Amino acid sequence: MSFDLSVWALEDGATPEDVRTAVDGCRQGRHVDRYPDPRVVSFYRAITASYPDRHPGPDSPWAVAPLHAAHDHVELNLHPTCADQVLLDIERLAGEHGLMLFDPQDGSVYPPPARLPG
């Protein structure tokens, strides 16, 4: 069993419900053929620089590799025993790249820190 997260690049002003709608569309195989969002590309490059998803080693946090990356999101399937630092890095990088974080375990959506009410 894995612990799953995904990061999403949606339009400014997107709500948690918009993220859930996008997740549902992905799960149903509805993908728009678009050029990858630069935020997704940057996030993917940053997370896989620290935790490679191509030919991962025995200490890899990834339960499924390579990561599923689409034009507007990246799915991250983690081993439940992965280090807490991996989760902190995912959260930090999602914020740095302006991505919304979706937790399918309970349906929670976390906006980037810049979008949180101050």
Side-chain angles (χ1 to χ4, degrees):
M1 182 123 202
S2 64
F3 174 77
D4 304 328
L5 295 169
S6 56
V7 294
W8 291 82
L10 299 180
E11 300 296 323
D12 285 342
T15 66
E17 192 53 40
D18 294 331
V19 174
R20 290 184 195 98
T21 298
V23 169
D24 288 341
C26 177
R27 287 179 179 162
Q28 294 174 18
R30 290 192 314 260
H31 294 96
V32 178
D33 200 15
R34 289 189 189 153
Y35 191 76
D37 188 294
R39 298 172 291 174
V40 170
V41 173
S42 295
F43 172 87
Y44 177 84
R45 287 181 179 157
I47 198 66
T48 58
S50 296
Y51 309 103
D53 70 331
R54 308 285 173 172
H55 311 291
D59 59 344
S60 173
W62 310 125
V64 175
L67 302 178
H68 167 75
H71 79 279
D72 60 352
H73 70 281
V74 177
E75 282 185 24
L76 309 135
N77 307 104
L78 299 133
H79 288 292
T81 57
C82 78
D84 288 343
Q85 186 60 50
V86 177
L87 300 174
L88 294 171
D89 289 342
I90 291 169
E91 183 178 347
R92 176 182 54 80
L93 289 169
E96 287 177 8
H97 293 86
L99 302 173
M100 298 180 85
L101 187 62
F102 176 72
D103 180 346
Q105 281 72 218
D106 65 5
S108 296
V109 176
Y110 304 95
R115 291 189 189 174
L116 294 175

